[in-house]
Amino acid sequence: MSLDIVVVMDPIGTIKIAKDSTFAMLLEAQRRGHRLYYVVPGGLFLADGTAMAHAAALCVRDDERQWFDLEQPSQLELGTRHVILMRKDPPVDADYLHDTHLLGIAQRQGALVVNDPQGLRDINEKLGALEFPQCCPPTLVSRDPAALKGFVNEHGEAVLKPLDGMGGRSIFRARAGESNLNVILETLTDGGRHLALAQRYLSEIAQGDKRILIVDGEPVPYCLARIPQGDEFRGNLAAGGRGEGRPLSDRDRWIAAQVGPELKRRGMLFVGLDVIGDYLTEVNVTSPTCIRELDALFGLNIAGLLFDRIEALHAAC
């Protein structure tokens, strides 16, 4: 049965299709005969208690010169015939959270929302990993610069980051006794007003920050290791890291088995785990990437696995 796939994403005209996982999902949905609708930026709204969207019919093609066509937008009442892909990038700010509330109403109207709106609100991508402490390295989350400094001094070296970043932005590597440590912590916490995260530095980052994709609780059997280049310690592709495909290790599978069932219970249908060495560092639920890279390296169809589950869930509604 053909479905109406409604996508909430950043402006489609700015994406890099060779690396964009949302685009891979749209290609797969179109290949299966589903109809595509693109929500214009800021296009979710509520009218008399009904979740609506300003959306345009969308056609996609795997062509870097012209990868999409849009018709004129119109108003859609979101309901049982719709699958909504919520794929907007962080930050998870007030506007993002308000959109998840509107999507929660659409869900109650019968739409299938991927990922679940409440889960998107509840699972911070940095803090979410800490719900599985058996998988994580030593970590402190605090507003107190002195406590965070004490953590760095205790472990000798740490990674410091805000709770709302993505793509490696505003991540610092700090050593005990560094002269600029105080100012880093003052900046991250805004003088003690905001939470920041300190995590023991993992030297295994030199072998890559592994992205493991989870589809409805089950891991894809290969991961993409994002390996830092030159004098950069961050492995994120957005920070210049080099991607290298690898099969999952036994430890990777153990971490996935610890995390996957709980994510499935919360309606997190498509998730990216970040793993450095033997440790889980982040749980990415908003707009995890690496579908295109892993598909190309290993002849996979990860979006196909996702749509198998979406179609099954929609049929069961």
Side-chain angles (χ1 to χ4, degrees), residues 263-285:
L263 296 176
K264 178 175 181 174
R265 186 188 69 80
R266 296 195 194 186
M268 299 289 99
L269 206 59
F270 185 70
V271 176
L273 307 183
D274 288 350
V275 173
I276 299 174
D278 288 339
Y279 295 103
L280 176 69
T281 60
E282 292 190 19
V283 175
N284 295 271
V285 298

Side-chain angles (χ1 to χ4, degrees), residues 39-113:
V39 176
V40 300
L44 293 175
F45 68 103
L46 201 64
D48 296 325
T50 299
M52 309 278 290
H54 292 294
L58 169 67
C59 177
V60 291
R61 65 183 67 86
D62 205 355
D63 181 345
E64 292 188 351
R65 296 166 299 176
Q66 179 62 42
W67 57 90
F68 70 98
D69 291 311
L70 288 174
E71 297 182 9
Q72 286 298 312
S74 60
Q75 293 187 5
L76 289 180
E77 179 179 335
L78 302 172
T80 55
R81 72 182 187 277
H82 296 118
V83 173
I84 305 172
L85 303 178
M86 179 48 162
R87 292 283 303 171
K88 192 174 182 303
D89 285 342
V92 179
D93 55 14
D95 287 330
Y96 185 99
L97 293 174
H98 295 159
D99 279 346
T100 67
H101 284 286
L102 298 185
L103 291 174
I105 295 172
Q107 189 180 57
R108 292 192 289 276
Q109 292 169 190
L112 174 61
V113 185

Side-chain angles (χ1 to χ4, degrees), residues 1 25 28 46 56 59 85 102 104 124 126 174 178 198 204 218 220 230-231 235 243 284-285 299:
M1 180 180 72
M25 296 176 191
E28 178 63 18
L46 201 64
C59 177
L85 303 178
L102 298 185
N124 175 277
K126 308 297 189 295
E178 279 192 12
E204 295 91 340
E218 295 295 329
V220 173
D231 60 359
N284 295 271
V285 298

Side-chain angles (χ1 to χ4, degrees), residues 115-282:
N115 285 318
D116 181 88
Q118 182 175 334
L120 291 174
R121 290 193 297 274
D122 289 350
I123 303 174
N124 175 277
E125 300 195 322
K126 308 297 189 295
L127 299 179
L130 301 178
E131 297 187 33
F132 309 93
Q134 70 275 24
C135 302
C136 298
T139 305
L140 174 68
V141 178
S142 177
R143 292 180 174 86
D144 183 356
L148 294 164
K149 184 177 181 178
F151 181 93
V152 177
N153 290 335
E154 176 187 356
H155 293 281
E157 192 168 5
V159 170
L160 306 167
K161 50 180 132 174
L163 298 184
D164 59 357
M166 65 166 290
R169 290 196 294 267
S170 301
I171 295 179
F172 297 88
R173 176 182 176 184
R175 296 178 175 86
E178 279 192 12
S179 60
N180 66 346
L181 180 55
N182 289 336
V183 72
I184 290 173
L185 294 172
E186 288 168 9
T187 300
L188 281 177
T189 66
D190 191 19
R193 283 182 283 274
H194 300 307
L195 290 168
L197 182 147
Q199 207 158 61
R200 179 169 63 82
Y201 175 72
L202 300 171
S203 60
E204 295 91 340
I205 184 63
Q207 284 76 54
D209 180 355
K210 294 176 284 187
R211 167 58 56 84
I212 300 171
L213 296 179
I214 305 287
V215 179
D216 199 25
E218 295 295 329
V220 173
Y222 300 92
C223 65
L224 191 74
R226 288 84 51 90
I227 301 170
Q229 300 296 292
D231 60 359
E232 177 62 72
F233 80 93
R234 298 170 298 174
N236 311 73
L237 299 181
R242 175 178 62 83
E244 178 181 294
R246 297 176 187 165
L248 298 188
S249 68
D250 289 343
R251 174 70 177 188
D252 295 336
R253 292 180 182 277
W254 179 83
I255 291 173
Q258 297 292 301
V259 178
E262 176 62 14
L263 296 176
K264 178 175 181 174
R265 186 188 69 80
R266 296 195 194 186
M268 299 289 99
L269 206 59
F270 185 70
V271 176
L273 307 183
D274 288 350
V275 173
I276 299 174
D278 288 339
Y279 295 103
L280 176 69
T281 60
E282 292 190 19

Side-chain angles (χ1 to χ4, degrees), residues 18 222-225 237 242-247 290-302:
Y222 300 92
C223 65
L224 191 74
L237 299 181
R242 175 178 62 83
E244 178 181 294
R246 297 176 187 165
C290 296
I291 285 180
R292 296 282 269 174
E293 294 90 340
L294 287 170
D295 280 356
L297 286 167
F298 297 107
L300 305 175
N301 181 9
I302 297 168

